[in-house]
Amino acid sequence: MMNDIIVDDDPDRAPTGEPYRRRMQQQALERGDQQRRYETQKQEQEYMVSLAREKNNVLFSKNNESDDDVDDWFTDDDDDDDENAVLESIRQARLEEFKRQQMKRAENMAKGHGQYRTISQDEFLPECTCSDYVCIHFFHDEFERCKVMDFHLKRIAVQHSECKFVRIHAVKAPFFVEKLKIKTLPTLLIFKNGKMVERLIGFDGVSVPGAKNPDEWPTGRLQEWLSRTGAIQYTKPTEEVVEEMKRLGLAPRGAIWRGGVDEYDDDDE
């Protein structure tokens, strides 16, 4: 009988079974690491560009002075010192901002940011009140759409340490389910300084309009929603960035859940 036939998985021949899934997941993780390295390099480049623009602004202001002022500028060595002082102050301001951001990141990491964790009902209030922003996912482990939400939140959490990402089993948190009027799973709640400020019910606002499967949407759509709440800092990639990422084999809009295997979106909505 057909039910008695057992076929060994061959990951080199057919996309089925656990060996294939593990290989696909490993490849997806490697692509994700590559994409994060690209985004870090892009931020560093933007910093250098902004510094160069500030320098050009200083030079432009010099070039727009009157003729008499220009004559004085060329004959007065102190002006070179003034220009260098302006550029140094800009550099110092940028450096201080960078240090502040790094200190804030370290503080957040100590509070459990940078990862996606499951919490208990007793941990709910301490977790939601000790950080500026907290995103909490009310889930059920047998609901497929909750698995889709986990898939995306796990990726966002490691990229955005400015917000804490946690999840709580709805069945094991009856008090907060009733208190916060959780009617649909998955539900995301955004807390700001301990106060609930926004919620996402199901996939409203993140699924792709007109898509054949409303459960298949790229991580970037959830990042956009989170950025609108203020929880994370995220900007939709420009056309130039999208083209460059495609050239490098990176996903402009992030991964898409398709039955538990990472697949990456190549289209920009």
Side-chain angles (χ1 to χ4, degrees), residues 222-235:
L222 182 54
Q223 287 174 295
E224 287 184 32
W225 182 84
L226 287 166
S227 69
R228 289 195 295 269
T229 71
I232 68 171
Q233 299 174 8
Y234 174 81
T235 302

Side-chain angles (χ1 to χ4, degrees), residues 9 19 26 28-29 35 42 48 54 57 90 92-93 97-98 122 159 166-167 171 173-174 176 181 251 261:
D9 291 316
Q26 180 61 34
L29 289 173
Q35 183 169 342
K42 179 174 173 288
M48 297 304 297
E54 294 289 353
N57 288 339
I90 294 172
Q92 287 294 332
E97 175 63 17
F98 178 75
D122 291 340
Q159 297 179 34
V166 294
R167 68 178 193 153
V171 175
F176 290 107
K181 297 180 173 58
V261 177

Side-chain angles (χ1 to χ4, degrees), residues 4-20:
D4 296 330
I5 297 176
I6 299 177
V7 179
D8 292 334
D9 291 316
D10 185 347
D12 295 326
R13 291 191 305 170
T16 60
E18 189 61 26
Y20 175 82

Side-chain angles (χ1 to χ4, degrees), residues 14-29:
T16 60
E18 189 61 26
Y20 175 82
R21 291 165 66 88
R22 285 199 299 267
R23 189 175 68 177
M24 291 299 98
Q25 289 171 354
Q26 180 61 34
Q27 292 176 357
L29 289 173

Side-chain angles (χ1 to χ4, degrees), residues 119-155:
I119 63 172
S120 67
Q121 181 167 258
D122 291 340
E123 296 172 315
F124 186 94
L125 287 177
E127 291 284 1
C128 292
T129 56
C130 72
S131 296
D132 294 342
Y133 277 99
V134 178
C135 173
I136 183 164
H137 171 205
F138 281 83
F139 77 99
H140 192 291
D141 51 16
E142 295 182 2
F143 289 11
E144 190 72 8
R145 282 196 160 190
C146 292
K147 296 177 182 178
V148 176
M149 188 63 77
D150 284 338
F151 172 84
H152 294 292
L153 289 174
K154 187 181 299 182
R155 282 150 181 77

Side-chain angles (χ1 to χ4, degrees), residues 49-94:
V49 169
S50 65
L51 191 60
R53 285 175 178 168
E54 294 289 353
K55 181 176 181 179
N56 288 336
N57 288 339
V58 172
L59 295 177
F60 180 77
S61 64
K62 290 290 186 180
N63 291 336
N64 282 279
E65 292 175 350
S66 65
D67 292 340
D68 292 339
D69 290 335
V70 171
D71 290 338
D72 292 340
W73 180 43
F74 279 109
T75 58
D76 191 353
D77 292 336
D78 290 339
D79 284 343
D80 288 336
D81 294 336
D82 291 341
E83 179 182 335
N84 291 333
V86 170
L87 294 176
E88 178 62 20
S89 66
I90 294 172
R91 191 187 73 83
Q92 287 294 332
R94 298 283 187 181

